[in-house]
Amino acid sequence: ARHSVVLAKRGMNVTGYDFSADYLEEAAARAKKAGVGLTLKRGDMRRLKFRNEFDAVINLFSSFGYFQRFADDMRTLKGVARALKPGGYFLLETIHGGYIRKNFRPRTWAKLADGSYQLDRVEAGKDGMLNTWIVIRKGRVQEKSFFLRLYSRARISAALRKAGLKPLKFWGGFSGAKLTASTNRLIVLARKAKR
């Protein structure tokens, strides 16, 4: 909701789409507090039902690439292309696979703001990485694992083209930094053909 509310405050009609009912509830609360309206829908990004409805689609904070099968990423991208109006834009931000492979660390510890500790354990594979977050808080241990596909500029470009989207520009961070092997973010702006 932190992105949706900012866009809505700037006068845009925003539709938020998420699988998590909790996140959608939080988005509704944030929008109400900010005095803006959002259309919120719950669903699976692999099954987008929109068709030629949006001028732009935005996917931020590595919210893409979590599916174990590459075919599911492609279903998502094809759904985005279908949802866009002709000439519509798609902005995608994710972790930069080239940077991760170059700077791979199997284990890192961090002290969190609340005084707890988090161990990030990473197993890198050919297609992506399996992350396990282990948080030690007040004598309790919580563990969560997830997969993240690692995309390079070449790989995401090929996937976007196959889905019907043309990559236009790349960045290595929100500051506008050039995408290089030393930037840890991969941001791409793509466009659906005008027809």
Side-chain angles (χ1 to χ4, degrees), residues 58-163:
I58 301 171
N59 184 294
L60 302 174
F61 203 62
S62 293
S63 298
F64 176 77
Y66 283 102
F67 302 116
Q68 292 279 344
R69 296 174 3 156
F70 177 69
D72 288 327
D73 284 1
M74 286 308 306
R75 283 172 48 189
T76 300
L77 292 176
K78 287 177 181 178
V80 166
R82 252 190 335 273
L84 286 169
K85 294 176 183 175
Y89 291 95
F90 178 44
L91 182 69
L92 173 67
E93 179 269 339
T94 190
I95 194 85
H96 183 202
Y99 174 86
I100 294 299
R101 292 195 186 285
K102 182 179 177 184
N103 297 284
F104 175 74
R105 293 172 57 195
R107 287 183 177 82
T108 56
W109 281 97
K111 187 172 183 178
L112 304 178
D114 66 359
S116 57
Y117 290 89
Q118 179 172 317
L119 168 65
D120 292 349
R121 191 174 62 217
V122 180
E123 299 170 41
K126 179 182 153 199
D127 202 36
M129 59 186 183
L130 181 64
N131 296 297
T132 302
W133 292 345
I134 301 168
V135 177
I136 303 168
R137 181 177 287 126
K138 296 180 181 176
R140 291 181 45 223
V141 177
Q142 296 172 306
E143 188 172 318
K144 179 181 179 182
S145 295
F146 60 93
F147 172 82
L148 182 61
R149 185 163 287 99
L150 296 177
Y151 281 98
S152 64
R153 178 180 179 146
R155 186 171 195 195
I156 196 65
S157 293
L160 288 165
R161 284 189 188 98
K162 187 174 180 181

Side-chain angles (χ1 to χ4, degrees), residues 15 41 49-55 82-85:
T15 298
K41 297 190 179 277
K49 299 193 184 333
F50 307 105
R51 191 171 295 277
N52 298 321
E53 290 187 44
F54 302 106
D55 296 311
R82 252 190 335 273
L84 286 169
K85 294 176 183 175

Side-chain angles (χ1 to χ4, degrees), residues 92 152-158 160-161 166-173 176-179 185-190:
L92 173 67
S152 64
R153 178 180 179 146
R155 186 171 195 195
I156 196 65
S157 293
L160 288 165
R161 284 189 188 98
K166 180 182 178 183
L168 300 175
K169 191 155 182 160
F170 289 85
W171 298 273
K178 184 178 178 182
L179 179 65
R185 309 312 300 168
L186 187 159
I187 303 173
V188 57
L189 178 67

